[in-house]
Amino acid sequence: MKRRQFFGSAAMVAVGAAAATRVVAQEQTYTIGVSIPSATHGFMGGLNWHAQEAINRVEAAYPNVKFVLATAGEAGKQVDDLEDMLATRNIDGLVVLPFESEPLTGPVKAVKDAGKWVTVVDRGLSQPNIEDLYVAGDNTAFGRVAGEYFKNNLPSGAKIVLLRGIPTTLDNERVEAFEAAIEGSGIELLDKQHGNWNRDDAFTVMQDYLSKYPQIDAVWASDDDMAIGVAEAIAQAGRTDEMWIVGGAGMKEIVKKVQDGDKQFPVNVTYPPAQIATAIEMTALAFVSSAPVAGRFIIGSVLITPENAAQFYFPDSPF
Amino acid sequence: MKRRQFFGSAAMVAVGAAAATRVVAQEQTYTIGVSIPSATHGFMGGLNWHAQEAINRVEAAYPNVKFVLATAGEAGKQVDDLEDMLATRNIDGLVVLPFESEPLTGPVKAVKDAGKWVTVVDRGLSQPNIEDLYVAGDNTAFGRVAGEYFKNNLPSGAKIVLLRGIPTTLDNERVEAFEAAIEGSGIELLDKQHGNWNRDDAFTVMQDYLSKYPQIDAVWASDDDMAIGVAEAIAQAGRTDEMWIVGGAGMKEIVKKVQDGDKQFPVNVTYPPAQIATAIEMTALAFVSSAPVAGRFIIGSVLITPENAAQFYFPDSPF
């Protein structure tokens, strides 16, 4: 019965930092490689910024953890980066956002086979169970959270349009979850065309919607780049006051509008480029703590409102 | 095109800790409540120990993060603990392993509705989407990893028995994954009875197996407490050299046997009580970092072998 008494009377206790901490081997230094695509567009720009920020934070918190960061503009460069990290940088762990799944699977497996910790971010590899930790966004929640906002903030009979991304499983998951969330609300979805996560394409699609539909109460642009194209088309049609727009991913310009109470952008939904920071922080825990961090972490999508926008606004990030 | 140049030439760079770190507001102190069941049996004893260890580690790493730990022997006490944390302890966040789902759902929702961060561990609440973060083990992987070991280490025609836990969805997931993993191996599963995660029940079930089956090559006990009961029955029958046993959950006595190369316990599979440490570490990150940690983290089950056993052996833990 000794185990039963482990915490004595099981009363609530305020825990002091002075209690016997399992000592982390501070003298041992760990090197973690971080391999990500270059900052070629908005989202990746943000991801690069958050990677750097997380590296700085972890290195400041844990003097015995060092990072090697490599960015690649194409898959071949990323393969070379991994080989270099393994051959000459003596990494203990790797955080990798694969440029493409297929060409990176072998090289990432080689890192794992060499006995290193491997964290894969956002895009899975072509083979299962190679990585120790997988960190990614939640496309179903991304659509559901947006859909719930529409359902809760539009009357039955309201008319909406939506813009889809590039035709992918990912986009299907998002759109299906959105449609499921508005089901039974009486909201009428007038149209859903592909804007391909592209500002110009979204502008064209929205121009078409505006010419076809005399009444539109709200737009699910499903992406902040598309939201900007949509807003431009609405402005040119002089119908800005008629409808609001929900984008997605937390682009700083849009988050700022939400924070400022802009009626055109009442909320946003996260699909955070900061997921790379989560991957870096959790990988560091694999070395500095005894908490198990092998597994699968799906980052939830959260509704950004004027009340909580500050915590999602990174003015120094390019995205 | 400014964004494209965010990381300049995208070459590999060793990152110095001196770079501009986003300063965490060190002056602000955060209090995190941790509410868990008392150490009433082996696994919970381990979980209590790991909770304390993680609290000590985080408080040492982050002087501005404090914890209030409460352990409860029944659901009513845990409800009181949560009310106290909210009313008088002024917590900013909560890590809770619900004693039971139903009676704790309302009280945990009250904490969330009060604007606090909520992390739920191991057992879900009766309503979805209350918590910010959910941390739990992976029952499918728990069965699959064990099954793959049997498949890779027994010849076709080998005869095995398995012991099931208490009849639950959780136990079904584990057993189905195990059976799927050995499919096509030619291994013959002689029997699968419920030992209810109980040492004595497992002893009785194994006695029955031993009297019925003249040849048994291996046992999947699917739990370390059951593995101990099984080993006792085998010893009394004088058949110790005939078969090996795989338990599960990483009880320290069993991990030690694996580490020592005991032929009766060649491997083990994790379902770690240290998942509470993961929940505590990730909740701390919600306050000290800007990494998004809202979401769903399913901790992988890992094969413990003589080679890696050291990292799963906690001699000071009661489990």
Side-chain angles (χ1 to χ4, degrees), chain A residues 261-300:
Chain A
D262 187 326
K263 282 188 171 28
Q264 193 175 24
F265 293 94
V267 296
N268 200 256
V269 179
T270 59
Y271 189 84
Q275 63 185 266
I276 191 70
T278 311
I280 288 169
E281 294 277 0
M282 290 179 74
T283 304
L285 286 177
F287 295 100
V288 303
S289 85
S290 59
V293 289
R296 187 176 169 82
F297 183 47
I298 305 303
I299 299 175

Side-chain angles (χ1 to χ4, degrees), chain B residues 176-205:
Chain B
E176 281 162 23
F178 179 88
E179 293 186 297
I182 62 168
E183 219 170 69
S185 65
I187 294 170
E188 187 185 350
L189 176 56
L190 299 169
D191 218 331
K192 43 178 181 178
Q193 302 298 326
H194 289 277
N196 304 318
W197 296 317
N198 178 287
R199 206 173 287 197
D200 296 338
D201 289 4
F203 176 83
T204 308
V205 170

Side-chain angles (χ1 to χ4, degrees), chain A residues 34-305:
Chain A
V34 177
S35 171
I36 55 179
S38 310
T40 46
H41 67 283
F43 184 84
M44 274 306 160
L47 192 128
N48 273 260
W49 186 84
H50 283 285
Q52 185 64 67
E53 196 204 42
I55 286 170
N56 294 344
R57 203 205 75 80
V58 173
E59 287 190 336
Y62 303 112
N64 61 325
V65 178
K66 300 289 170 210
F67 289 87
V68 176
L69 172 67
T71 64
E74 38 94 25
K77 164 69 162 62
Q78 191 169 32
V79 172
D80 292 346
D81 287 346
L82 297 191
E83 277 168 10
D84 185 33
M85 285 180 179
L86 200 54
T88 73
R89 298 302 181 118
N90 201 22
I91 56 167
D92 302 288
L94 171 68
V95 176
V96 58
L97 196 164
F99 200 92
E100 293 168 50
S101 298
E102 195 58 56
L104 267 303
T105 296
V108 173
K109 187 168 186 301
V111 174
K112 181 62 202 167
D113 290 346
K116 313 306 182 187
W117 177 278
V118 172
T119 299
V120 171
V121 187
D122 194 41
R123 302 171 192 171
L125 299 172
S126 308
Q127 268 181 48
N129 300 323
I130 291 172
E131 68 271 12
D132 295 284
L133 170 63
Y134 178 66
V135 175
D138 184 345
N139 292 301
T140 299
F142 182 86
R144 176 177 51 77
V145 168
E148 284 168 356
Y149 181 81
F150 279 70
K151 185 174 183 170
N152 296 333
N153 290 278
L154 286 172
S156 179
K159 296 176 194 306
I160 67 169
V161 292
L162 84 78
L163 287 92
R164 310 196 56 155
I166 292 171
T168 47
T169 318
L170 183 160
D171 188 63
N172 292 342
E173 285 170 10
R174 290 177 171 190
V175 172
E176 281 163 22
F178 179 88
E179 294 187 296
I182 61 167
E183 220 169 71
S185 65
I187 295 170
E188 187 183 350
L189 176 56
L190 298 169
D191 218 330
K192 45 178 180 177
Q193 302 298 326
H194 288 277
N196 304 318
W197 297 317
N198 179 288
R199 204 172 285 197
D200 296 337
D201 289 4
F203 176 84
T204 308
V205 170
M206 192 65 207
Q207 272 197 323
D208 178 51
Y209 286 169
L210 288 162
S211 71
K212 277 205 279 199
Y213 305 111
Q215 181 198 337
I216 302 173
D217 298 303
V219 185
W220 186 44
S222 81
D223 174 80
D224 287 334
D225 264 313
M226 291 206 285
I228 287 172
V230 163
E232 221 164 279
I234 294 172
Q236 288 192 12
R239 293 170 65 177
T240 300
D241 292 340
E242 181 185 329
M243 67 197 82
W244 44 259
I245 307 165
V246 175
M251 181 190 286
K252 68 173 178 178
E253 290 82 2
I254 305 284
V255 174
K256 189 69 174 52
K257 285 179 195 289
V258 172
Q259 191 171 10
D260 293 345
D262 187 326
K263 282 188 171 28
Q264 193 175 24
F265 293 94
V267 296
N268 200 256
V269 179
T270 59
Y271 189 84
Q275 63 185 266
I276 191 70
T278 311
I280 288 169
E281 294 277 0
M282 290 179 74
T283 304
L285 286 177
F287 295 100
V288 303
S289 85
S290 59
V293 289
R296 187 176 169 82
F297 183 47
I298 305 303
I299 299 175
S301 278
V302 177
L303 192 71
I304 304 178
T305 64

Side-chain angles (χ1 to χ4, degrees), chain A residues 3-7 9-22 24 36 38-42 45 48-50 52-53 55-57 59-62 66-73 77 80-82 84-85 89 129 133-134 144 148 199 225 251 253 272 274-275 277-278 281-282 285 288-302 310-311 313-314 316 318-319, chain B residues 3-7 9-22 24 36 38-42 45 48-53 55-57 59-62 66-73 77 80-82 84-85 89 129 133-134 144 148 199 225 251 253 272 274-275 277-278 281-282 285 288-302 311 313-314 316 318-319:
Chain A
R3 280 174 194 159
R4 286 179 190 272
Q5 290 159 18
F6 185 61
F7 271 105
S9 61
M12 185 177 290
V13 284
V15 182
T21 302
R22 184 157 165 272
V24 171
I36 55 179
S38 310
T40 46
H41 67 283
N48 273 260
W49 186 84
H50 283 285
Q52 185 64 67
E53 196 204 42
I55 286 170
N56 294 344
R57 203 205 75 80
E59 287 190 336
Y62 303 112
K66 300 289 170 210
F67 289 87
V68 176
L69 172 67
T71 64
K77 164 69 162 62
D80 292 346
D81 287 346
L82 297 191
D84 185 33
M85 285 180 179
R89 298 302 181 118
N129 300 323
L133 170 63
Y134 178 66
R144 176 177 51 77
E148 284 168 356
R199 204 172 285 197
D225 264 313
M251 181 190 286
E253 290 82 2
Q275 63 185 266
T278 311
E281 294 277 0
M282 290 179 74
L285 286 177
V288 303
S289 85
S290 59
V293 289
R296 187 176 169 82
F297 183 47
I298 305 303
I299 299 175
S301 278
V302 177
Q311 61 180 283
Y313 182 55
F314 301 96
D316 301 334
F319 180 73
Chain B
R3 281 174 193 161
R4 287 180 189 271
Q5 288 158 20
F6 184 60
F7 272 104
S9 63
M12 184 178 290
V13 283
V15 180
T21 302
R22 182 156 167 272
V24 171
I36 55 178
S38 310
T40 47
H41 67 282
N48 273 260
W49 186 84
H50 282 285
Q52 184 64 66
E53 196 203 44
I55 285 170
N56 294 343
R57 204 204 76 79
E59 287 191 338
Y62 303 112
K66 300 289 171 211
F67 290 87
V68 176
L69 173 68
T71 65
K77 164 69 162 63
D80 292 345
D81 288 345
L82 297 191
D84 185 33
M85 285 179 178
R89 299 302 182 118
N129 300 323
L133 170 62
Y134 178 66
R144 176 177 51 77
E148 284 168 355
R199 206 173 287 197
D225 264 313
M251 182 189 286
E253 291 82 0
Q275 63 185 268
T278 311
E281 294 278 0
M282 290 180 73
L285 286 177
V288 302
S289 85
S290 58
V293 289
R296 187 178 169 82
F297 183 46
I298 304 302
I299 299 174
S301 276
V302 176
Q311 61 180 284
Y313 182 55
F314 301 96
D316 301 334
F319 180 73

